[in-house]
């Protein structure tokens, strides 16, 4: 009996230690990390251990192997990992809506219809930027490659260089890169917000263009729902700060070496940083993944995620 009690006590101590450790959180360098900077600054490591990574490849192995509890990832990558791990992660929130914009030199593009007959320079061939652009064009009555020429480049910088040499064309660029691009020529302007164009194609319960989500390991969510809910409350507050104190958030973004404060302050209003949870998250994200799946099933892991993918606590 003493041995059993001792073993039980050891187990309780281990569980207590595990709960006392900071929540391990990773985000990508860019908009998906910008909404977390207030949390990073306020917490100083007491509740959370944050890590900012340059590429998703740095995050996914740690998440799968259990070295991370929570991570901000591209939305479609979360779906792919869900399939590959047999459902071992859940989406807690949408953290970034679309960050894609059409830029032009001049003032001739004011609607998607104005893209007819134009050349669009874009990066992201065979990935979500291509699928998102194709969806918006087709839903607006334009067939890619027929009504609109799309010339794909390897990098956003190549798209900008091509646009600088072809004033009659346009380019699809993401924030915060777009903010830098707008300084390269006096006649450069942001012509279309593709997130807004996507929204205009939906009904009240429709999908949204989504860049990033926050996920957690399913076993962690099951074991520590209170910790997860507390994280979401803190994260929502951090996102709200990012949207209301632009200059303060920009200073923090520079302090955490994401982008310079000047670029952040100009880009933040167009970065669409959000914290969408629950049923709204489910509707917007599932609809977005359906759009990707229709064009390339492998872009979401070969199948659409089931309901367990979405963290929607019972009311």
């Amino acid at each position: 009996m003493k041995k059993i009690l001792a073993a039980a006590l050891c187990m309780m101590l281990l569980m207590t230690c595990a709960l006392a450790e900071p929540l391990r959180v990773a985000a990508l360098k860019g908009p998906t990390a910008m909404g977390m900077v207030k949390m990073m600054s306020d917490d100083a490591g007491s509740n959370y251990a944050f890590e900012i990574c340059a590429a998703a490849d740095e995050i996914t192995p740690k998440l799968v192997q259990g070295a991370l509890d929570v991570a901000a990832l591209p939305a479609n990558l979360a779906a792919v990992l869900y399939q590959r791990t047999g459902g071992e992660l859940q989406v807690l929130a949408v953290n970034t809506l679309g960050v894609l914009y059409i830029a032009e030199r001049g003032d001739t593009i004011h609607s998607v219809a104005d893209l007819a007959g134009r050349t669009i320079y874009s990066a992201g061939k065979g990935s979500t930027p291509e699928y998102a652009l194709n969806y918006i064009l087709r839903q607006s009555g334009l067939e890619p490659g027929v009504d609109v020429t799309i010339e794909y480049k390897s990098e956003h910088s190549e798209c900008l260089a091509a646009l600088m040499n072809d004033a009659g064309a346009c380019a699809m660029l993401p924030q915060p890169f777009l903010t830098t691009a707008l300084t390269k020529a006096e006649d450069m302007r942001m012509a279309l917000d593709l997130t807004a164009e996507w929204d205009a194609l939906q009904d009240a319960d429709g999908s949204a263009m989504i860049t990033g989500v926050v996920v957690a390991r399913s076993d962690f969510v099951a074991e520590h729902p209170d910790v997860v809910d507390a994280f979401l409350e803190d994260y929502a507050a951090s996102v709200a700060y990012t949207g209301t104190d632009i200059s303060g958030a920009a200073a923090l973004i520079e302090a955490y070496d994401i982008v310079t404060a000047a670029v952040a302050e100009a880009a933040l209003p167009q970065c669409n940083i959000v914290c969408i949870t629950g049923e709204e998250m489910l509707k917007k994200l599932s609809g977005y993944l359906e759009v990707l799946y229709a064009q390339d099933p492998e872009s979401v892991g070969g199948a659409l995620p089931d309901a367990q993918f979405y963290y929607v606590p019972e009311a």
Side-chain angles (χ1 to χ4, degrees):
M1 179 63 71
K2 289 183 178 179
K3 290 183 178 179
I4 294 174
L5 290 173
L9 180 60
C10 287
M11 182 61 69
M12 291 175 64
L13 288 171
L14 286 171
M15 290 177 68
T16 302
C17 290
L19 289 172
E21 294 175 356
L23 188 70
R24 300 165 298 176
V25 184
L28 289 170
K29 191 172 184 177
T32 60
M34 290 178 179
M36 292 185 179
V37 292
K38 182 62 171 171
M39 293 175 69
M40 296 180 193
S41 175
D42 288 350
D43 183 72
S46 58
N47 295 311
Y48 306 110
F50 288 100
E51 182 178 352
I52 299 177
C53 301
D57 289 347
E58 298 177 37
I59 295 177
T60 52
K62 296 180 181 179
L63 185 64
V64 171
Q65 294 164 13
L68 290 171
D69 304 310
V70 174
L73 295 171
N76 73 304
L77 177 57
V80 171
L81 289 177
Y82 181 77
Q83 301 295 349
R84 290 181 179 174
T85 61
E88 293 183 4
L89 60 81
Q90 284 184 288
V91 175
L92 305 182
V94 170
N95 71 347
T96 315
L97 296 174
V99 295
L100 295 174
Y101 295 81
I102 297 294
E104 70 163 335
R105 294 182 61 192
D107 190 10
T108 61
I109 299 173
H110 300 278
S111 70
V112 175
D114 293 334
L115 296 173
R118 306 292 286 264
T119 294
I120 303 174
Y121 295 110
S122 175
K125 175 69 174 173
S127 62
T128 54
E130 178 185 8
Y131 307 143
L133 179 59
N134 286 349
Y135 171 76
I136 291 171
L137 291 174
R138 286 175 176 143
Q139 293 296 112
S140 303
L142 299 176
E143 181 60 29
V146 178
D147 302 306
V148 182
T149 299
I150 307 173
E151 188 170 328
Y152 286 96
K153 304 292 185 181
S154 299
E155 304 288 342
H156 301 306
S157 58
E158 294 179 36
C159 299
L160 177 58
L163 182 57
M164 295 297 292
N165 293 321
D166 185 358
C170 56
M172 184 169 74
L173 301 172
Q175 283 288 18
F177 184 86
L178 173 64
T179 294
T180 301
L182 293 176
T183 67
K184 300 302 181 181
E186 290 185 359
D187 60 349
M188 188 84 71
R189 64 180 283 267
M190 188 272 281
L192 296 177
D193 175 349
L194 293 186
T195 303
E197 298 300 333
W198 184 298
D199 289 346
L201 299 169
Q202 313 302 314
D203 58 27
D205 294 323
S207 66
M209 183 190 289
I210 295 172
T211 299
V213 297
V214 177
V215 304
R217 292 185 291 105
S218 298
D219 58 352
F220 186 88
V221 175
E223 293 167 12
H224 308 297
D226 293 344
V227 175
V228 170
D229 291 341
F231 165 81
L232 287 174
E233 289 183 12
D234 290 345
Y235 183 60
S238 185
V239 167
Y241 170 82
T242 304
T244 55
D245 187 349
I246 301 296
S247 61
L252 289 176
I253 288 166
E254 178 173 278
Y256 287 105
D257 196 29
I258 299 172
V259 294
T260 66
V263 169
E265 188 161 358
L268 274 172
Q270 289 84 42
C271 283
N272 289 322
I273 296 169
V274 296
C275 182
I276 300 174
T277 59
E279 291 288 344
E280 184 182 3
M281 174 266 289
L282 188 156
K283 291 176 182 178
K284 291 184 182 300
L285 179 56
S286 62
Y288 173 71
L289 295 176
E290 286 173 7
V291 170
L292 300 185
Y293 178 82
Q295 295 189 56
D296 179 8
E298 293 305 313
S299 69
V300 297
L304 289 170
D306 58 26
Q308 295 302 312
F309 180 60
Y310 306 93
Y311 178 65
V312 183
E314 294 182 6

